[in-house]
């Protein structure tokens, strides 16, 4: 499954450049273009799913791999503590409708988030 109009499908396909930091069988991890922390990476499934729930329902293995990839990225960059975020729906701040797991680390991360 793929969508020519989807920004992250196009990054996965190599049609739009991104600073890729990790690739697995089912995922690609690349740096967020507008980093909100010293480490801010997005982990996306290679296949197109609009949000995290759709991915979990459609490809549970890829859903799990988002998290293991995120952990690998944080470890590789030397962070024990990090935050994972899945904005789901426009009202929750989702702007790109290809699911992506934000990996944030390297500064104090307060709670609750904004
Ligand atoms: P969200 O608001 O949760 O949908 O997150 C979308 C994220 O994608 C934002 O943090 C953007 O900064 C990021 N983003 C948008 N375009 C690009 C791009 N071309 N390369 C990397 N990150 C991007
Ligand atoms: Zn897509």
């Amino acid at each position: 499954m793929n969508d020519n109009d989807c920004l992250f499908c196009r990054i996965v396909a190599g049609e739009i450049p991104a600073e890729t930091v990790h690739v697995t069988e089912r995922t690609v991890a690349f740096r967020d273009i507008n980093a909100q922390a010293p480490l801010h990476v997005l982990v996306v499934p290679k296949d197109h799913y609009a949000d995290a729930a759709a991915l979990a329902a459609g490809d549970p293995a890829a859903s799990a791999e988002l998290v293991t990839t995120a952990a690998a990225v944080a470890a590789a960059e030397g962070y024990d503590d990090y935050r994972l975020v899945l904005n789901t729906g426009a009202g929750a701040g989702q702007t790109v409708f290809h699911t992506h797991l934000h990996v944030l680390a390297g500064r104090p991360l307060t709670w609750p988030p904004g």
Side-chain angles (χ1 to χ4, degrees):
M1 205 188 306
N2 199 282
D3 184 343
N4 271 344
D5 296 328
C6 171
L7 174 63
F8 289 170
C9 281
R10 297 190 70 194
I11 286 177
V12 168
E15 295 168 7
I16 291 175
E19 193 179 336
T20 299
V21 295
H22 201 80
V23 178
T24 68
E25 184 182 349
R26 301 177 183 83
T27 74
V28 177
F30 54 88
R31 294 194 196 282
D32 196 293
I33 205 168
N34 183 23
Q36 300 300 313
L39 176 69
H40 189 174
V41 164
L42 304 175
V43 188
V44 308
K46 290 178 178 173
D47 291 338
H48 182 91
Y49 289 91
D51 60 32
L55 178 66
D59 191 345
S63 190
E65 210 164 295
L66 285 193
V67 178
T68 54
T69 300
V73 167
E77 305 228 358
Y79 296 106
D80 292 328
D81 302 334
Y82 54 89
R83 180 170 292 168
L84 303 182
V85 176
L86 289 161
N87 294 325
T88 304
Q94 187 176 6
T95 60
V96 179
F97 290 84
H98 177 133
T99 194
H100 48 282
L101 180 59
H102 294 260
V103 188
L104 297 145
R107 66 168 170 81
L109 295 164
T110 58
W111 194 264

